[in-house]
Amino acid sequence: MAVHDTVSFLSDYGHDDEFVGVVHSVIRTIAPDARVIDLTHGIPAHDTRAGGLTLARAVQYVAPGIVLAVVDPGVGTSRRAIAVEVGGGAGIFVGPDNGLLAPGVAMAGGATRAVELLDDRFHLPAPGPTFAGRDVFAPVAAHLCTGVELDELGPAIDTASLLPGVLPVSRDEEGVVVAEVLWVDRFGNAQLNIGPDELVSRRATLRVGDVVRTATLAPTYGAVPTGGVGLVVDAYGLVSIALDQRSAAEELTLSPGSEVRLEPLGEGPAGHTTPLAFPTTRREA
Amino acid sequence: MAVHDTVSFLSDYGHDDEFVGVVHSVIRTIAPDARVIDLTHGIPAHDTRAGGLTLARAVQYVAPGIVLAVVDPGVGTSRRAIAVEVGGGAGIFVGPDNGLLAPGVAMAGGATRAVELLDDRFHLPAPGPTFAGRDVFAPVAAHLCTGVELDELGPAIDTASLLPGVLPVSRDEEGVVVAEVLWVDRFGNAQLNIGPDELVSRRATLRVGDVVRTATLAPTYGAVPTGGVGLVVDAYGLVSIALDQRSAAEELTLSPGSEVRLEPLGEGPAGHTTPLAFPTTRREA
Amino acid sequence: MAVHDTVSFLSDYGHDDEFVGVVHSVIRTIAPDARVIDLTHGIPAHDTRAGGLTLARAVQYVAPGIVLAVVDPGVGTSRRAIAVEVGGGAGIFVGPDNGLLAPGVAMAGGATRAVELLDDRFHLPAPGPTFAGRDVFAPVAAHLCTGVELDELGPAIDTASLLPGVLPVSRDEEGVVVAEVLWVDRFGNAQLNIGPDELVSRRATLRVGDVVRTATLAPTYGAVPTGGVGLVVDAYGLVSIALDQRSAAEELTLSPGSEVRLEPLGEGPAGHTTPLAFPTTRREA
């Protein structure tokens, strides 16, 4: 089996403290030749859902090897520390068993094996159980890069026992697509949990709380008319709400979890609703 | 020709999302031996001027190789994706043709060749045209590190056709230097578009909007007297406005683009203006 | 002597500007094979105390080699630029002699040799003295990775002459532990300058300014009861004030330097004070 030499690292550690640097240092000490790629450390604190969605988006681009993911509000409690193999060894996810890894594992084709990280030969001695990223997950990721085998890390566990991630499902209410914001990016674009196949018309009435706007399908962010609201198929193939060089999230008060209702508008006069049935989608990790 | 092994990467992606990490991942997958240096990803969203100025400041320190720069408000529109060779192959800039690259290219001695990135053998398949950093620029930068030649990436274009960057020029109004803030750094120092040769006296009356202060030339930030306003020749050889361990930008309400008027004060009694002519400068990229 | 190949880099540069990237570029150019690990660049501007404490926390995990630390409010003034050897060559700290390095050097076992960085063969030419990170410290760190010896960098200085760091000491006031907040992390946990041995009871009355709360020793952050205040032995072996998935710093208005008074509460009825003497600690770097 190939020895892995890349660790792709995601967390909610932020960059204000030394957490990320210490994890890099631990890996550098144990596995000097491994390369660590920071996917992001900007996941909101404790937000396993946001972390899971980010992993799901990123995983298809990640270099073969180890994915180290730490968003761990239950650190030190009974939640398990795990390593999950995908693709029969093509990659291994290391992190807490709290749903964080599940969407990424699913996007990578599903778990082929899993172990609980109980063998402390591969951990650092720790004054307390509160920084598992440094004391458990980072050294395990590093040891995997030095050739330690998955089954040395601890007892095998049933992959069916892993905590699933829950991705919200859009629904159809008499022709209105009821979607949810998955993610607001740095530019203020709000990604929805629907693909373009769920839009039956180029224009739609968009409702977010009390705000009602007309939204129009646009091929790129730059093609959204000034002052208008665009529906743009984003870089992950999902529909996002976008304004031209301004923040849609700010102007429309959107944040992850916001409900967005899209009612199709005919190509004719605005206000004429095309009575088509929308397919509902179901995405689960 | 030497194969490049460093990619110096600048963007407006920030660190909250996985954009930077995904670009690193793409490069790691295509060119595992290349090293990626993050110049900064803190350019304000869509601010090609700030990105261009940052490139201009950084470029003389950048390791030989590829400069990957992405601030791309027009992504997916008719703006061209380009690679620009400098120094007859000493370096190659990769990014959008929107003026972002121009100041860096100029500081590196000017373009010797350029191509439009139209050959999609060197791109990633993409669900949409909105993340060219991931789908076009990063894979191109990586392929250049694996030995792909510039002219394989697409058709040659006239270097004279590249969109220029525009740097603001200071001017002399009857002995008053009218300058502009180029950059406010993290410490609140405000870099102006003038060199020390444009200051004819050690003290000047400084006007920003309605604020009037006396500013004094100081050799270092630490030498600015407490409560005073310093004019310090900064690390790039330009004059910056600085306070001692406080933010000049905050106290004087300075931001990039602010107009700053400097009227020379004689070395004698404050208020006595030395009637010297200031040279005007013209810097363009 | 082993040639070093890792530079662990800490600063107050933040990520909005290109400072960090330029330092990486300088090292990459001089020592292409060195690996740079970013410990953190989120130290508050000019805060040498916070930088020193961060180094002290991180240093036991840092990979062998060079520690490059730059928080340098007195740049360009008479403060010395230094390199400090620890462990007889196991590591070398490079930075300003302003107390920043001292806590890390102490945690690494103390200085065995030190030099002042006066030999400008190992510096970059600079337009001014304001960016010593780029022009002095980074090139010196890089040259050390290429095999340059410590004593080539400048004249030896007495290690006893290095500016010490000052760490606050807790004290006992008639059974009340008077502690100080060292650090507030990204999750809002507030690290105190006391170890668990200084807590004589599992519960204590906690006073911060006018706020009075009952705090309870908890084995992990997750074990702090909702609505309660926890005293958790943190990942560095010190007592921290924590809430369950909320920010203790925000709710109790804690920041570095805040005084926190802990009066022991008996295991019996709340309010009954156990009259035990607390040991006082003295930690200095």
Side-chain angles (χ1 to χ4, degrees):
Chain A
M1 187 177 130
V3 170
H4 299 295
D5 59 0
T6 302
V7 177
S8 299
F9 177 25
L10 170 146
S11 76
D12 65 347
Y13 288 160
H15 287 284
D16 284 349
D17 306 303
E18 74 279 14
F19 301 132
V20 170
V22 164
V23 164
H24 277 248
S25 296
V26 167
I27 295 171
R28 175 71 169 161
T29 302
I30 296 172
D33 295 330
R35 193 82 72 86
V36 182
I37 305 275
D38 294 300
L39 291 179
T40 182
H41 303 292
I43 304 297
H46 305 310
D47 191 339
T48 52
R49 177 188 129 126
L53 290 171
T54 305
L55 275 183
R57 291 194 302 271
V59 77
Q60 62 184 309
Y61 297 99
V62 157
I66 312 301
V67 174
L68 169 62
V70 190
V71 178
D72 197 11
V75 60
T77 66
S78 61
R79 72 93 187 90
R80 298 183 293 191
I82 56 174
V84 182
E85 182 195 75
V86 296
I92 298 176
F93 287 70
V94 175
D97 183 24
N98 61 8
L100 171 69
L101 307 182
V105 166
M107 289 290 285
T112 50
R113 281 194 298 166
V115 298
E116 187 173 1
L117 304 175
L118 291 180
D119 192 331
D120 60 16
R121 287 180 300 157
F122 305 107
H123 307 172
L124 295 190
T130 61
F131 191 179
R134 177 191 72 191
D135 299 327
V136 177
F137 300 125
V140 160
H143 282 295
L144 285 167
C145 291
T146 67
V148 169
E149 296 286 347
L150 186 73
D151 56 14
E152 298 181 68
L153 300 171
I157 54 180
D158 185 351
T159 58
S161 77
L162 300 175
L163 202 69
V166 177
L167 297 192
V169 175
S170 66
R171 63 182 192 278
D172 171 24
E173 288 188 359
E174 301 180 4
V176 176
V177 179
V178 183
E180 185 175 324
V181 174
L182 293 178
W183 170 45
V184 170
D185 74 17
R186 169 252 176 156
F187 303 99
N189 304 309
Q191 186 184 59
L192 301 179
N193 60 338
I194 57 174
D197 52 307
E198 293 172 70
L199 297 175
V200 293
S201 62
R202 289 193 61 258
R203 296 168 70 239
T205 300
L206 180 151
R207 282 173 217 272
V208 184
D210 293 338
V211 177
V212 183
R213 297 284 292 269
T214 297
T216 308
L217 199 60
T220 67
Y221 301 130
V224 177
T226 303
V229 175
L231 298 172
V232 177
V233 179
D234 74 4
Y236 298 95
L238 296 178
V239 173
S240 67
I241 302 174
L243 306 183
D244 180 35
Q245 294 193 38
R246 285 168 304 133
S247 168
E250 207 170 287
E251 186 161 323
L252 303 173
T253 327
L254 298 167
S255 58
S258 296
E259 183 180 286
V260 174
R261 304 175 71 89
L262 287 166
E263 184 172 359
L265 281 171
E267 303 298 314
H272 176 248
T273 303
T274 313
L276 286 183
F278 279 68
T280 56
T281 46
R282 184 159 187 84
R283 266 186 300 277
E284 284 188 354
Chain B
M1 188 180 127
V3 170
H4 298 297
D5 58 0
T6 303
V7 177
S8 299
F9 177 25
L10 170 146
S11 76
D12 65 348
Y13 288 161
H15 287 283
D16 285 348
D17 305 303
E18 75 279 12
F19 302 131
V20 171
V22 164
V23 164
H24 277 248
S25 297
V26 168
I27 295 172
R28 174 72 169 162
T29 302
I30 296 172
D33 295 330
R35 194 82 71 85
V36 181
I37 305 275
D38 294 299
L39 291 179
T40 182
H41 303 292
I43 304 299
H46 304 310
D47 191 340
T48 53
R49 176 190 132 124
L53 290 171
T54 304
L55 274 184
R57 290 194 303 271
V59 77
Q60 62 182 310
Y61 297 99
V62 157
I66 311 301
V67 173
L68 168 63
V70 190
V71 178
D72 199 9
V75 61
T77 65
S78 61
R79 73 95 186 90
R80 298 182 293 192
I82 56 174
V84 182
E85 182 196 74
V86 296
I92 298 174
F93 287 71
V94 175
D97 183 23
N98 61 8
L100 170 69
L101 307 182
V105 166
M107 289 291 285
T112 50
R113 281 195 297 167
V115 298
E116 186 172 0
L117 305 175
L118 290 179
D119 192 331
D120 61 14
R121 285 179 301 155
F122 305 108
H123 307 172
L124 295 191
T130 61
F131 191 178
R134 177 192 71 192
D135 300 327
V136 178
F137 300 125
V140 160
H143 282 295
L144 284 167
C145 291
T146 66
V148 170
E149 297 287 346
L150 186 73
D151 57 14
E152 298 182 67
L153 300 171
I157 54 181
D158 185 349
T159 58
S161 77
L162 300 175
L163 201 68
V166 177
L167 298 190
V169 175
S170 66
R171 64 182 191 277
D172 170 25
E173 288 187 359
E174 302 180 2
V176 176
V177 178
V178 183
E180 185 176 322
V181 175
L182 293 177
W183 171 46
V184 170
D185 75 15
R186 167 255 176 158
F187 303 99
N189 305 309
Q191 185 183 59
L192 301 179
N193 60 339
I194 57 173
D197 52 310
E198 292 171 73
L199 298 175
V200 294
S201 62
R202 290 193 59 258
R203 297 169 66 237
T205 300
L206 181 149
R207 283 172 218 273
V208 184
D210 294 338
V211 177
V212 183
R213 297 286 292 269
T214 297
T216 308
L217 199 61
T220 67
Y221 300 130
V224 177
T226 304
V229 175
L231 297 173
V232 177
V233 179
D234 75 3
Y236 298 96
L238 295 178
V239 173
S240 66
I241 302 173
L243 306 182
D244 179 36
Q245 296 193 37
R246 286 167 304 132
S247 168
E250 206 169 287
E251 186 160 323
L252 303 173
T253 327
L254 298 165
S255 58
S258 297
E259 182 179 286
V260 173
R261 303 174 72 89
L262 287 166
E263 184 172 358
L265 281 171
E267 304 298 314
H272 177 249
T273 302
T274 313
L276 288 182
F278 278 69
T280 55
T281 46
R282 184 157 187 85
R283 266 187 299 279
E284 285 192 351
Chain C
M1 189 178 127
V3 170
H4 300 296
D5 59 0
T6 303
V7 177
S8 299
F9 177 25
L10 169 145
S11 76
D12 64 347
Y13 289 160
H15 287 284
D16 285 348
D17 305 303
E18 74 279 12
F19 301 132
V20 171
V22 164
V23 164
H24 278 248
S25 297
V26 167
I27 296 172
R28 174 71 168 161
T29 301
I30 296 172
D33 295 331
R35 193 84 70 85
V36 181
I37 306 276
D38 294 300
L39 291 178
T40 182
H41 302 292
I43 304 299
H46 305 310
D47 191 340
T48 52
R49 177 189 131 126
L53 291 170
T54 304
L55 275 184
R57 291 194 302 271
V59 76
Q60 62 183 309
Y61 297 99
V62 157
I66 312 302
V67 174
L68 169 62
V70 190
V71 178
D72 198 10
V75 61
T77 65
S78 61
R79 72 97 186 88
R80 299 184 292 193
I82 56 173
V84 182
E85 181 196 75
V86 296
I92 296 175
F93 287 69
V94 175
D97 183 22
N98 60 8
L100 170 70
L101 307 181
V105 167
M107 290 290 285
T112 51
R113 281 194 297 166
V115 298
E116 186 172 1
L117 306 174
L118 291 180
D119 192 331
D120 61 14
R121 288 179 299 157
F122 305 108
H123 307 172
L124 295 190
T130 61
F131 191 179
R134 177 193 72 191
D135 299 327
V136 177
F137 300 125
V140 160
H143 282 295
L144 285 166
C145 291
T146 66
V148 170
E149 297 287 345
L150 186 72
D151 56 14
E152 297 182 68
L153 300 171
I157 54 180
D158 185 350
T159 58
S161 77
L162 300 175
L163 201 70
V166 177
L167 298 191
V169 175
S170 66
R171 64 182 191 275
D172 171 25
E173 288 188 358
E174 301 180 3
V176 176
V177 178
V178 183
E180 186 176 321
V181 175
L182 294 177
W183 171 45
V184 170
D185 75 15
R186 171 247 179 160
F187 303 100
N189 304 309
Q191 186 184 58
L192 301 178
N193 59 339
I194 57 174
D197 52 308
E198 292 171 71
L199 297 176
V200 294
S201 62
R202 290 193 59 260
R203 297 169 67 237
T205 300
L206 180 151
R207 282 173 219 272
V208 184
D210 294 338
V211 177
V212 183
R213 296 286 293 268
T214 297
T216 308
L217 199 60
T220 66
Y221 301 130
V224 176
T226 304
V229 175
L231 298 172
V232 177
V233 179
D234 75 4
Y236 299 95
L238 295 178
V239 173
S240 67
I241 302 174
L243 305 182
D244 180 35
Q245 295 192 37
R246 286 167 305 134
S247 167
E250 205 170 289
E251 185 160 325
L252 303 173
T253 327
L254 298 166
S255 58
S258 297
E259 182 180 286
V260 173
R261 304 175 70 90
L262 287 167
E263 184 172 0
L265 281 171
E267 302 299 314
H272 176 248
T273 303
T274 313
L276 288 183
F278 279 68
T280 56
T281 45
R282 185 157 186 86
R283 264 186 302 277
E284 286 189 353

mmCIF file of all heavy atoms in Angstrom, chain A residues 178-206:
data_model
loop_
_atom_site.group_PDB
_atom_site.id
_atom_site.type_symbol
_atom_site.label_atom_id
_atom_site.label_comp_id
_atom_site.label_asym_id
_atom_site.label_seq_id
_atom_site.Cartn_x
_atom_site.Cartn_y
_atom_site.Cartn_z
ATOM 1 N N VAL A 178 -38.463 25.116 -1.736
ATOM 2 C CA VAL A 178 -38.053 25.599 -0.424
ATOM 3 C C VAL A 178 -36.637 25.083 -0.173
ATOM 4 O O VAL A 178 -36.419 23.889 0.008
ATOM 5 C CB VAL A 178 -39.017 25.127 0.676
ATOM 6 C CG1 VAL A 178 -38.594 25.715 2.021
ATOM 7 C CG2 VAL A 178 -40.438 25.522 0.324
ATOM 8 N N ALA A 179 -35.694 25.988 -0.230
ATOM 9 C CA ALA A 179 -34.280 25.621 -0.141
ATOM 10 C C ALA A 179 -33.676 26.198 1.137
ATOM 11 O O ALA A 179 -34.342 26.928 1.883
ATOM 12 C CB ALA A 179 -33.525 26.150 -1.363
ATOM 13 N N GLU A 180 -32.430 25.852 1.360
ATOM 14 C CA GLU A 180 -31.756 26.330 2.573
ATOM 15 C C GLU A 180 -30.351 26.788 2.200
ATOM 16 O O GLU A 180 -29.695 26.190 1.344
ATOM 17 C CB GLU A 180 -31.688 25.178 3.580
ATOM 18 C CG GLU A 180 -31.108 25.589 4.919
ATOM 19 C CD GLU A 180 -31.164 24.463 5.952
ATOM 20 O OE1 GLU A 180 -32.155 23.689 5.959
ATOM 21 O OE2 GLU A 180 -30.199 24.337 6.729
ATOM 22 N N VAL A 181 -29.906 27.835 2.840
ATOM 23 C CA VAL A 181 -28.540 28.303 2.604
ATOM 24 C C VAL A 181 -27.565 27.341 3.286
ATOM 25 O O VAL A 181 -27.652 27.091 4.484
ATOM 26 C CB VAL A 181 -28.328 29.733 3.144
ATOM 27 C CG1 VAL A 181 -26.861 30.158 3.017
ATOM 28 C CG2 VAL A 181 -29.232 30.719 2.414
ATOM 29 N N LEU A 182 -26.639 26.788 2.504
ATOM 30 C CA LEU A 182 -25.616 25.897 3.052
ATOM 31 C C LEU A 182 -24.409 26.682 3.540
ATOM 32 O O LEU A 182 -23.763 26.317 4.509
ATOM 33 C CB LEU A 182 -25.138 24.916 1.970
ATOM 34 C CG LEU A 182 -26.146 23.894 1.470
ATOM 35 C CD1 LEU A 182 -25.507 23.055 0.368
ATOM 36 C CD2 LEU A 182 -26.618 23.005 2.611
ATOM 37 N N TRP A 183 -24.096 27.753 2.826
ATOM 38 C CA TRP A 183 -22.797 28.386 3.019
ATOM 39 C C TRP A 183 -22.857 29.800 2.483
ATOM 40 O O TRP A 183 -23.423 30.031 1.412
ATOM 41 C CB TRP A 183 -21.765 27.552 2.236
ATOM 42 C CG TRP A 183 -20.382 28.097 2.082
ATOM 43 C CD1 TRP A 183 -19.588 28.677 3.046
ATOM 44 C CD2 TRP A 183 -19.601 28.090 0.884
ATOM 45 N NE1 TRP A 183 -18.368 29.012 2.513
ATOM 46 C CE2 TRP A 183 -18.342 28.658 1.199
ATOM 47 C CE3 TRP A 183 -19.813 27.652 -0.419
ATOM 48 C CZ2 TRP A 183 -17.325 28.810 0.244
ATOM 49 C CZ3 TRP A 183 -18.812 27.800 -1.369
ATOM 50 C CH2 TRP A 183 -17.582 28.360 -1.030
ATOM 51 N N VAL A 184 -22.276 30.729 3.199
ATOM 52 C CA VAL A 184 -22.068 32.082 2.683
ATOM 53 C C VAL A 184 -20.569 32.263 2.540
ATOM 54 O O VAL A 184 -19.821 32.138 3.508
ATOM 55 C CB VAL A 184 -22.646 33.138 3.638
ATOM 56 C CG1 VAL A 184 -22.210 34.536 3.213
ATOM 57 C CG2 VAL A 184 -24.158 33.045 3.684
ATOM 58 N N ASP A 185 -20.117 32.546 1.323
ATOM 59 C CA ASP A 185 -18.676 32.664 1.149
ATOM 60 C C ASP A 185 -18.212 34.090 1.421
ATOM 61 O O ASP A 185 -18.997 34.981 1.729
ATOM 62 C CB ASP A 185 -18.223 32.137 -0.225
ATOM 63 C CG ASP A 185 -18.561 33.069 -1.374
ATOM 64 O OD1 ASP A 185 -18.860 34.261 -1.152
ATOM 65 O OD2 ASP A 185 -18.516 32.602 -2.529
ATOM 66 N N ARG A 186 -16.936 34.297 1.340
ATOM 67 C CA ARG A 186 -16.303 35.566 1.677
ATOM 68 C C ARG A 186 -16.810 36.716 0.827
ATOM 69 O O ARG A 186 -16.749 37.860 1.244
ATOM 70 C CB ARG A 186 -14.832 35.334 1.439
ATOM 71 C CG ARG A 186 -13.934 36.389 1.436
ATOM 72 C CD ARG A 186 -13.115 37.197 0.701
ATOM 73 N NE ARG A 186 -12.609 38.156 1.651
ATOM 74 C CZ ARG A 186 -11.531 38.838 1.582
ATOM 75 N NH1 ARG A 186 -10.725 38.684 0.578
ATOM 76 N NH2 ARG A 186 -11.208 39.675 2.486
ATOM 77 N N PHE A 187 -17.322 36.407 -0.356
ATOM 78 C CA PHE A 187 -17.825 37.443 -1.244
ATOM 79 C C PHE A 187 -19.313 37.711 -1.017
ATOM 80 O O PHE A 187 -19.910 38.519 -1.701
ATOM 81 C CB PHE A 187 -17.541 37.063 -2.702
ATOM 82 C CG PHE A 187 -16.066 36.821 -2.951
ATOM 83 C CD1 PHE A 187 -15.547 35.535 -2.983
ATOM 84 C CD2 PHE A 187 -15.196 37.888 -3.107
ATOM 85 C CE1 PHE A 187 -14.189 35.316 -3.179
ATOM 86 C CE2 PHE A 187 -13.840 37.684 -3.309
ATOM 87 C CZ PHE A 187 -13.329 36.395 -3.347
ATOM 88 N N GLY A 188 -19.893 36.968 -0.067
ATOM 89 C CA GLY A 188 -21.298 37.169 0.259
ATOM 90 C C GLY A 188 -22.255 36.381 -0.614
ATOM 91 O O GLY A 188 -23.464 36.560 -0.548
ATOM 92 N N ASN A 189 -21.730 35.475 -1.450
ATOM 93 C CA ASN A 189 -22.588 34.602 -2.223
ATOM 94 C C ASN A 189 -23.149 33.525 -1.308
ATOM 95 O O ASN A 189 -22.435 32.971 -0.480
ATOM 96 C CB ASN A 189 -21.807 33.934 -3.363
ATOM 97 C CG ASN A 189 -21.131 34.968 -4.251
ATOM 98 O OD1 ASN A 189 -21.770 35.905 -4.718
ATOM 99 N ND2 ASN A 189 -19.823 34.801 -4.466
ATOM 100 N N ALA A 190 -24.445 33.219 -1.463
ATOM 101 C CA ALA A 190 -25.102 32.259 -0.585
ATOM 102 C C ALA A 190 -25.449 30.992 -1.365
ATOM 103 O O ALA A 190 -26.338 30.988 -2.214
ATOM 104 C CB ALA A 190 -26.367 32.868 0.009
ATOM 105 N N GLN A 191 -24.715 29.923 -1.041
ATOM 106 C CA GLN A 191 -24.942 28.653 -1.743
ATOM 107 C C GLN A 191 -26.192 27.972 -1.191
ATOM 108 O O GLN A 191 -26.337 27.823 0.022
ATOM 109 C CB GLN A 191 -23.734 27.735 -1.537
ATOM 110 C CG GLN A 191 -23.805 26.448 -2.331
ATOM 111 C CD GLN A 191 -22.626 25.531 -2.016
ATOM 112 O OE1 GLN A 191 -22.413 25.139 -0.881
ATOM 113 N NE2 GLN A 191 -21.864 25.198 -3.040
ATOM 114 N N LEU A 192 -27.060 27.526 -2.101
ATOM 115 C CA LEU A 192 -28.280 26.806 -1.703
ATOM 116 C C LEU A 192 -28.104 25.306 -1.887
ATOM 117 O O LEU A 192 -27.215 24.851 -2.602
ATOM 118 C CB LEU A 192 -29.467 27.285 -2.548
ATOM 119 C CG LEU A 192 -29.792 28.784 -2.463
ATOM 120 C CD1 LEU A 192 -30.974 29.108 -3.379
ATOM 121 C CD2 LEU A 192 -30.107 29.179 -1.018
ATOM 122 N N ASN A 193 -28.987 24.559 -1.275
ATOM 123 C CA ASN A 193 -28.928 23.103 -1.388
ATOM 124 C C ASN A 193 -29.728 22.584 -2.575
ATOM 125 O O ASN A 193 -30.410 21.565 -2.465
ATOM 126 C CB ASN A 193 -29.409 22.460 -0.079
ATOM 127 C CG ASN A 193 -30.839 22.849 0.264
ATOM 128 O OD1 ASN A 193 -31.324 23.874 -0.214
ATOM 129 N ND2 ASN A 193 -31.494 22.044 1.077
ATOM 130 N N ILE A 194 -29.680 23.306 -3.689
ATOM 131 C CA ILE A 194 -30.352 22.850 -4.910
ATOM 132 C C ILE A 194 -29.422 22.980 -6.099
ATOM 133 O O ILE A 194 -28.562 23.860 -6.148
ATOM 134 C CB ILE A 194 -31.654 23.649 -5.197
ATOM 135 C CG1 ILE A 194 -31.360 25.159 -5.308
ATOM 136 C CG2 ILE A 194 -32.700 23.390 -4.110
ATOM 137 C CD1 ILE A 194 -32.567 25.987 -5.733
ATOM 138 N N GLY A 195 -29.604 22.079 -7.034
ATOM 139 C CA GLY A 195 -28.858 22.155 -8.279
ATOM 140 C C GLY A 195 -29.672 22.890 -9.329
ATOM 141 O O GLY A 195 -30.866 23.166 -9.134
ATOM 142 N N PRO A 196 -29.052 23.209 -10.450
ATOM 143 C CA PRO A 196 -29.750 23.987 -11.474
ATOM 144 C C PRO A 196 -30.944 23.237 -12.080
ATOM 145 O O PRO A 196 -31.882 23.870 -12.584
ATOM 146 C CB PRO A 196 -28.667 24.252 -12.524
ATOM 147 C CG PRO A 196 -27.579 23.286 -12.231
ATOM 148 C CD PRO A 196 -27.649 22.952 -10.787
ATOM 149 N N ASP A 197 -30.919 21.905 -12.005
ATOM 150 C CA ASP A 197 -32.031 21.130 -12.537
ATOM 151 C C ASP A 197 -33.317 21.381 -11.754
ATOM 152 O O ASP A 197 -34.406 21.058 -12.213
ATOM 153 C CB ASP A 197 -31.678 19.643 -12.484
ATOM 154 C CG ASP A 197 -31.225 19.239 -11.095
ATOM 155 O OD1 ASP A 197 -30.311 19.903 -10.562
ATOM 156 O OD2 ASP A 197 -31.787 18.278 -10.526
ATOM 157 N N GLU A 198 -33.192 21.941 -10.585
ATOM 158 C CA GLU A 198 -34.384 22.207 -9.781
ATOM 159 C C GLU A 198 -34.997 23.567 -10.075
ATOM 160 O O GLU A 198 -36.038 23.917 -9.521
ATOM 161 C CB GLU A 198 -34.047 22.089 -8.284
ATOM 162 C CG GLU A 198 -33.704 20.655 -7.914
ATOM 163 C CD GLU A 198 -33.185 20.540 -6.496
ATOM 164 O OE1 GLU A 198 -33.989 20.721 -5.577
ATOM 165 O OE2 GLU A 198 -31.977 20.270 -6.325
ATOM 166 N N LEU A 199 -34.318 24.340 -10.911
ATOM 167 C CA LEU A 199 -34.903 25.615 -11.343
ATOM 168 C C LEU A 199 -35.633 25.380 -12.656
ATOM 169 O O LEU A 199 -35.025 24.971 -13.645
ATOM 170 C CB LEU A 199 -33.807 26.658 -11.566
ATOM 171 C CG LEU A 199 -32.986 27.058 -10.351
ATOM 172 C CD1 LEU A 199 -31.874 28.006 -10.763
ATOM 173 C CD2 LEU A 199 -33.876 27.698 -9.297
ATOM 174 N N VAL A 200 -36.945 25.626 -12.696
ATOM 175 C CA VAL A 200 -37.670 25.358 -13.940
ATOM 176 C C VAL A 200 -37.815 26.586 -14.813
ATOM 177 O O VAL A 200 -38.291 26.499 -15.940
ATOM 178 C CB VAL A 200 -39.090 24.804 -13.663
ATOM 179 C CG1 VAL A 200 -38.978 23.430 -13.042
ATOM 180 C CG2 VAL A 200 -39.882 25.756 -12.810
ATOM 181 N N SER A 201 -37.409 27.727 -14.287
ATOM 182 C CA SER A 201 -37.544 28.928 -15.107
ATOM 183 C C SER A 201 -36.336 29.815 -14.864
ATOM 184 O O SER A 201 -35.635 29.668 -13.866
ATOM 185 C CB SER A 201 -38.821 29.699 -14.737
ATOM 186 O OG SER A 201 -38.748 30.112 -13.379
ATOM 187 N N ARG A 202 -36.092 30.717 -15.772
ATOM 188 C CA ARG A 202 -34.923 31.587 -15.654
ATOM 189 C C ARG A 202 -35.120 32.675 -14.616
ATOM 190 O O ARG A 202 -34.168 33.301 -14.185
ATOM 191 C CB ARG A 202 -34.590 32.225 -17.013
ATOM 192 C CG ARG A 202 -34.027 31.217 -18.024
ATOM 193 C CD ARG A 202 -33.431 31.935 -19.227
ATOM 194 N NE ARG A 202 -32.326 32.793 -18.841
ATOM 195 C CZ ARG A 202 -32.420 34.135 -18.706
ATOM 196 N NH1 ARG A 202 -33.560 34.760 -18.946
ATOM 197 N NH2 ARG A 202 -31.372 34.841 -18.336
ATOM 198 N N ARG A 203 -36.351 32.916 -14.236
ATOM 199 C CA ARG A 203 -36.618 33.940 -13.229
ATOM 200 C C ARG A 203 -37.503 33.364 -12.131
ATOM 201 O O ARG A 203 -38.300 32.463 -12.379
ATOM 202 C CB ARG A 203 -37.295 35.154 -13.868
ATOM 203 C CG ARG A 203 -36.376 35.846 -14.879
ATOM 204 C CD ARG A 203 -37.120 36.868 -15.739
ATOM 205 N NE ARG A 203 -37.524 38.029 -14.983
ATOM 206 C CZ ARG A 203 -38.786 38.444 -14.843
ATOM 207 N NH1 ARG A 203 -39.770 37.773 -15.427
ATOM 208 N NH2 ARG A 203 -39.071 39.516 -14.138
ATOM 209 N N ALA A 204 -37.334 33.871 -10.955
ATOM 210 C CA ALA A 204 -38.117 33.364 -9.836
ATOM 211 C C ALA A 204 -38.338 34.484 -8.831
ATOM 212 O O ALA A 204 -37.541 35.422 -8.735
ATOM 213 C CB ALA A 204 -37.395 32.198 -9.163
ATOM 214 N N THR A 205 -39.449 34.381 -8.120
ATOM 215 C CA THR A 205 -39.646 35.273 -6.968
ATOM 216 C C THR A 205 -38.956 34.637 -5.782
ATOM 217 O O THR A 205 -39.216 33.479 -5.438
ATOM 218 C CB THR A 205 -41.149 35.449 -6.678
ATOM 219 O OG1 THR A 205 -41.770 36.013 -7.829
ATOM 220 C CG2 THR A 205 -41.353 36.358 -5.476
ATOM 221 N N LEU A 206 -38.073 35.406 -5.176
ATOM 222 C CA LEU A 206 -37.266 34.896 -4.076
ATOM 223 C C LEU A 206 -37.770 35.511 -2.773
ATOM 224 O O LEU A 206 -37.922 36.730 -2.679
ATOM 225 C CB LEU A 206 -35.813 35.278 -4.355
ATOM 226 C CG LEU A 206 -34.717 34.889 -3.382
ATOM 227 C CD1 LEU A 206 -33.405 34.724 -4.158
ATOM 228 C CD2 LEU A 206 -34.516 35.940 -2.301
#
